[in-house]
Amino acid sequence: MAKNLWDAEKEIVAALQAGDETAFAALVDDLHGRLLALARTFTSSPSLAEDIVQETWLAVIRGVRGFEERSSLRTWIFSILVRRAKTLAAREARRGEVANPPGDAETDSEQEWEPGLGRQGLWNGPLPSWGLENPEEVLQREEGLRALENAVADLPDPQRRVVLLRDVEDVSPADICNILGISETNQRVLLHRGRARIRRALDQFFRGGGERSYRAMDGATSTTIRCEHSRGSIESETRAQHELP
Amino acid sequence: MNCREAIDVMDRALDDTLQPDLKPAFRDHMTTCDPCRTYFEQLQITVEALRGLPRGEAKNPRRGELLDEFTRKPGRDSK
């Protein structure tokens, strides 16, 4: 339903501005879970996340009749959410409640590489293939889906924000920068680090980290590979692979 | 293009925003370097999988409140 809903965005906006309750209900049903996911990147408190989303919807109701479609409806709603999230999370932090303070401070020192800096070292050898016929196989198995969802949930908040908006919600880089109030460079770095971390998690999964393992391309028995996470470097993972009998 | 340079621009290649003058060198490196190509393919798979993630379904316990507020909003016919 999601794709069809957004294809007809002009009609949706017109319906909302005309007071069409069915259209508004459909919008709420379609977006609620996704807004919650974004709100959760600003606070660890589920109830605060719910408050952020509820206030977002109320602001949408107040503002939709004046919405001039300078951005897409979705981008506009995400922007409202981020503003509410930063305000509410900051307020909770001042009260001393448990909440992640807003801001894009990159706390993740683990990095494979950063655009512009190149890699710290080169490959030690071939990178083990995942042996997939096509990308859909990741999602076709329950375990693969879990591995992916867990990898996203485990991302540091700033990275998860960008990955959710870019890869899950398909928001443009320029809109992401506006929504989050970050530079293009910052957005690029966060996105790449987030994707690289998820790739690493999937790599562990495909090479034996999950309950059911995929056989390695060379037919060797799948073994859980203990990857060195101190730097999260490809060298560590590749070296570990080569130490297997 | 060497590995370091290829990896430097891999994020742009993923999003198809690589500068046109770098595309041939990048494609060439992907052809000749197995680890970089595998890494790039795995990143592509990762991004495709993210794009295909089922949308988060969540019940909104305050849905009724929102619908009431939407209906109640004054001036809905004035635009």
Side-chain angles (χ1 to χ4, degrees):
Chain A
M1 202 233 162
K3 281 237 178 291
N4 293 338
L5 190 67
W6 297 107
D7 284 345
E9 192 174 290
K10 277 209 178 311
E11 283 85 344
I12 296 166
V13 172
L16 294 175
Q17 290 177 331
D20 183 339
E21 293 142 33
T22 309
F24 180 67
L27 184 71
V28 169
D29 292 342
D30 185 64
L31 268 187
H32 188 74
R34 296 145 68 186
L35 292 182
L36 260 183
L38 187 57
R40 289 301 300 269
T41 70
F42 288 93
T43 177
S44 54
S45 161
S47 65
L48 184 58
E50 292 274 2
D51 288 345
I52 289 167
V53 175
Q54 193 72 357
E55 288 204 17
T56 299
W57 283 124
L58 292 173
V60 168
I61 292 170
R62 278 194 302 273
V64 73
R65 283 157 191 85
F67 178 61
E68 289 171 5
E69 297 185 76
R70 270 181 265 124
S71 68
S72 76
L73 179 65
R74 227 171 22 132
T75 298
W76 180 64
I77 295 174
F78 289 146
S79 299
I80 294 172
L81 184 142
V82 170
R83 282 200 299 275
R84 296 313 300 150
K86 287 180 175 177
T87 302
L88 284 167
R91 194 180 298 163
E92 290 300 306
R94 280 198 296 276
R95 283 190 201 137
E97 310 242 351
V98 176
N100 296 346
D104 299 297
E106 182 56 63
T107 56
D108 175 31
S109 60
E110 176 189 336
Q111 52 178 296
E112 288 187 336
W113 55 266
E114 206 167 307
L117 293 186
R119 281 245 307 152
Q120 299 304 313
L122 297 173
W123 307 109
N124 283 346
L127 208 59
S129 165
W130 292 345
L132 303 180
E133 294 292 314
N134 57 60
E136 285 81 43
E137 286 183 47
V138 177
L139 301 175
Q140 277 162 3
R141 293 185 179 234
E142 187 68 27
E143 304 93 345
L145 179 58
R146 291 289 147 261
L148 183 63
E149 288 176 337
N150 290 339
V152 174
D154 287 344
L155 290 180
D157 293 338
Q159 292 175 19
R160 193 161 83 258
R161 250 167 246 160
V162 180
V163 168
L164 281 178
L165 286 172
R166 181 90 187 95
D167 289 334
V168 178
E169 297 293 340
D170 197 27
V171 177
S172 74
D175 281 349
I176 291 173
C177 292
N178 287 331
I179 290 168
L180 296 179
I182 61 177
S183 69
E184 200 264 331
T185 304
N186 197 358
Q187 187 261 158
R188 201 179 148 205
V189 168
L190 289 170
L191 180 61
H192 180 75
R193 286 184 185 174
R195 286 167 168 176
R197 278 185 88 133
I198 296 170
R199 185 218 70 91
R200 206 151 55 237
L202 289 179
D203 190 51
Q204 281 186 270
F205 170 74
F206 285 117
R207 291 194 290 134
E211 278 179 35
R212 283 184 222 151
S213 310
Y214 286 77
R215 290 201 170 272
M217 283 294 279
D218 61 2
T221 310
S222 298
T223 310
T224 301
I225 292 162
R226 298 264 163 247
C227 299
E228 293 167 8
H229 281 297
S230 53
R231 287 194 56 81
S233 69
I234 288 291
E235 287 134 32
S236 311
E237 293 173 10
T238 311
R239 199 175 303 127
Q241 174 73 0
H242 283 268
E243 282 163 9
L244 290 176
Chain B
M1 185 177 279
N2 61 31
C3 292
R4 198 160 288 171
E5 291 161 339
I7 286 173
D8 250 4
V9 300
M10 221 174 250
D11 64 312
R12 292 208 192 278
L14 272 173
D15 289 338
D16 204 24
T17 55
L18 190 57
Q19 296 99 300
D21 58 325
L22 291 179
K23 284 184 182 176
F26 183 80
R27 267 199 299 267
D28 190 59
H29 187 81
M30 289 298 106
T31 309
T32 56
C33 180
D34 283 345
C36 277
R37 184 180 62 253
T38 304
Y39 185 63
F40 183 62
E41 285 169 354
Q42 289 173 356
L43 280 175
Q44 286 178 307
I45 291 169
T46 300
V47 172
E48 280 306 307
L50 286 167
R51 288 182 183 146
L53 262 183
R55 292 287 182 264
E57 300 276 316
K59 281 193 81 69
N60 180 359
R62 296 189 258 179
R63 185 180 184 271
E65 191 182 307
L66 287 177
L67 298 187
D68 287 345
E69 183 63 24
F70 183 81
T71 311
R72 193 181 324 158
K73 198 76 189 72
R76 52 189 263 204
D77 295 319
S78 63
K79 198 166 157 63

